[in-house]
Amino acid sequence: MENKLHERLGQLLKQREQQVISWRRHLHQYPELSFQEEKTPAMIAEILRGYSLDQIRTGVGGRGVVGLLKGGKPGPTVAIRADFDALPIQDQKDVPYKSRVPGVMHACGHDAHTSGLLGLAGVLAEHRAEIPGNIVFVFQHAEEENPGGAIAMVEDGALDGVDAIFGAHLWSSCPYGHVWIASGPIMASVDDFAIDIQGRGGHGAVPQETIDSIVIGSQVVTNLQTIASRNISPIDSVVVTVGTFNAGDNNNVIADSCRMTGTVRSFSPEVRDRAEQRVKEIVAGTAAMLGGSAKVEYTRGYPAVVNTPAEAEIVRAAASAVCGEQKVEQMTPTMGGEDFSYYLEKVPGAFVFIGAGNPEVGAAYPHHHPRFDIDERAMLISAEVLGRSALLYMEQQK
């Protein structure tokens, strides 16, 4: 009896490995920043047209590409997502496929996500008669920059008619051959703030005649840390980080004003709301107490990524079949963010981390590092895990 398609997927993908690597290295040499992607979505659409998909939409939500493959048997519709934007970082690797765009590089693996999904789309298109349902290939722009491309693509119908969605992130901190997956919250919501403090400047020798904005700002930084220690339950998680603090021009002048920016990360909507409330209250109260005033600009970014339990277990089963059960590990939630969260607010699904780290091939640097790279073999693992997950989901819905 012939093996089911999901059981043959690895072998079929292996036949496309060199093509997938070629696509990835091309994209790596010609990266495009968030909301500026032009050649990348054009390349994706051209490759998809070669597969004779049932529908291809371009410009989805701005610059996204969505392809629909109708299977030969009735069943549910499952989406698989990859992103394709790059970062404003100078590539410092010494490799033939180093970025040729000054100050721009794929430092997070999105080129590999896209290439792997293109390879998977080709395999599934060749065997569409065996697929018990439909598959939607979602190629997303602008994951790296708020408000992200996902929310616009959802609003533009990328998930219309979709029953579940799966996505993956190649991860250099996870060794090649290993997979991290968990149900529930796995990545945090991402909110940003900017604080402008107004004091009254003057000579450093006569502080009594001034209102020192730096002193106020310093107190604000300290007081914001009480959100985690005194306003949120120790059982929950929240991070409040002040990342920039700018004030003053001279050593003997008390600064008239200062500006700070930072980020707030959390997992639950309740903690998210409480943290925003306390940031605003603490800033206003601290500034008033010390005689100054303050303005807070608080911007909500991506929601938390929350995997639904049933779909996370499907991914776990798929990954175990690909890598072996002993290499599929329970993921510890991270305070990093991902706009895959918007898809999961729309339909059930799961996001999985695929190991791509391997010092022997130079894949030893963290994401967003100027020497970031991956073990390219991980692209096929990612593609197979996602493909198996989609097919297993379909089988379970019979």
Side-chain angles (χ1 to χ4, degrees):
M1 181 177 178
E2 186 180 19
N3 291 340
K4 292 183 178 180
L5 178 56
H6 67 82
E7 296 173 338
R8 309 192 324 268
L9 206 51
Q11 172 189 347
L12 296 169
L13 283 165
K14 186 67 176 177
Q15 297 170 9
R16 292 175 175 262
E17 182 174 26
Q18 291 309 309
Q19 179 64 79
V20 169
I21 291 173
S22 176
W23 285 331
R24 185 257 169 168
R25 294 187 176 189
H26 174 83
L27 292 174
H28 202 84
Q29 291 178 77
Y30 301 101
E32 296 179 302
L33 293 172
S34 303
F35 299 108
Q36 299 178 32
E37 307 96 334
E38 295 182 1
K39 294 180 179 179
T40 304
M43 171 183 162
I44 292 167
E46 181 181 1
I47 293 169
L48 293 180
R49 290 188 190 101
Y51 298 154
S52 299
L53 299 186
D54 295 275
Q55 183 185 71
I56 298 171
R57 294 178 60 205
T58 59
V60 181
R63 299 178 185 272
V65 181
V66 176
L68 170 64
L69 174 65
K70 294 182 179 180
K73 305 173 185 178
T77 298
V78 182
I80 305 174
R81 175 265 205 168
D83 42 14
F84 56 75
D85 56 325
L87 287 155
I89 298 172
Q90 180 64 43
D91 194 345
Q92 295 181 9
K93 296 189 300 300
D94 184 17
V95 294
Y97 50 88
K98 178 178 180 178
S99 172
R100 299 186 181 186
V101 182
V104 182
M105 74 170 287
H106 275 289
C108 205
H110 296 186
D111 52 340
H113 300 165
T114 288
S115 301
L117 186 55
L118 285 171
L120 176 63
V123 168
L124 294 175
E126 282 186 351
H127 297 83
R128 69 185 74 200
E130 301 178 56
I131 299 175
N134 307 315
I135 298 181
V136 175
F137 303 101
V138 178
F139 292 89
Q140 182 202 312
H141 62 298
E143 185 278 328
E144 295 285 2
E145 185 176 326
N146 191 37
I151 188 169
M153 291 190 70
V154 170
E155 292 171 350
D156 199 11
L159 294 188
D160 288 358
V162 169
D163 298 295
I165 187 168
F166 297 97
H169 206 308
L170 298 180
W171 207 245
S172 64
S173 300
C174 181
Y176 166 75
H178 290 247
V179 173
W180 292 346
I181 182 65
S183 63
I186 62 164
M187 300 187 79
S189 59
V190 181
D191 300 330
D192 299 324
F193 60 80
I195 301 169
D196 290 294
I197 294 174
Q198 186 62 51
R200 184 172 66 243
H203 200 292
V206 286
Q208 72 278 10
E209 297 178 2
T210 72
I211 297 173
D212 194 333
S213 66
I214 291 180
V215 169
I216 297 173
S218 299
Q219 289 293 318
V220 165
V221 173
T222 299
N223 292 344
L224 286 176
Q225 301 314 305
T226 63
I227 295 173
S229 66
R230 290 297 177 267
N231 299 143
I232 303 298
S233 168
I235 306 302
D236 295 319
S237 299
V238 67
V239 168
V240 181
T241 294
V242 176
T244 69
F245 191 121
N246 296 288
D249 297 303
N250 295 287
N251 69 318
N252 65 344
V253 176
I254 290 175
D256 185 66
S257 63
C258 78
R259 180 175 176 84
M260 295 175 285
T261 62
T263 186
V264 178
R265 309 293 175 103
S266 60
F267 291 113
S268 78
E270 295 77 17
V271 171
R272 192 182 195 188
D273 291 342
R274 179 63 169 156
E276 178 180 356
Q277 175 191 359
R278 289 302 291 146
V279 167
K280 293 176 179 177
E281 291 173 347
I282 287 170
V283 172
T286 303
M289 178 182 69
L290 296 174
S293 62
K295 181 190 299 183
V296 179
E297 298 175 15
Y298 201 98
T299 304
R300 291 225 171 181
Y302 308 158
V305 177
V306 183
N307 285 345
T308 48
E311 285 65 37
E313 286 309 306
I314 287 173
V315 171
R316 187 182 299 277
S320 296
V322 175
C323 301
E325 188 175 348
Q326 73 281 4
K327 292 186 177 180
V328 180
E329 304 176 35
Q330 180 73 8
M331 180 182 176
T332 301
T334 171
M335 284 295 181
E338 236 282 359
D339 71 347
F340 192 82
S341 53
Y342 289 115
Y343 302 115
L344 293 176
E345 288 190 332
K346 183 79 171 177
V347 299
F351 195 67
V352 59
F353 285 74
I354 306 294
N358 182 358
E360 293 182 3
V361 297
Y365 297 90
H367 292 251
H368 295 211
H369 189 282
R371 296 185 66 183
F372 171 83
D373 208 348
I374 62 164
D375 187 325
E376 292 178 316
R377 295 176 298 169
M379 290 188 288
L380 293 194
I381 290 182
S382 179
E384 185 177 0
V385 169
L386 291 175
R388 278 180 174 260
S389 297
L391 294 169
L392 287 173
Y393 177 91
M394 292 175 177
E395 292 288 340
Q396 290 189 10
Q397 301 306 306
K398 285 184 176 180

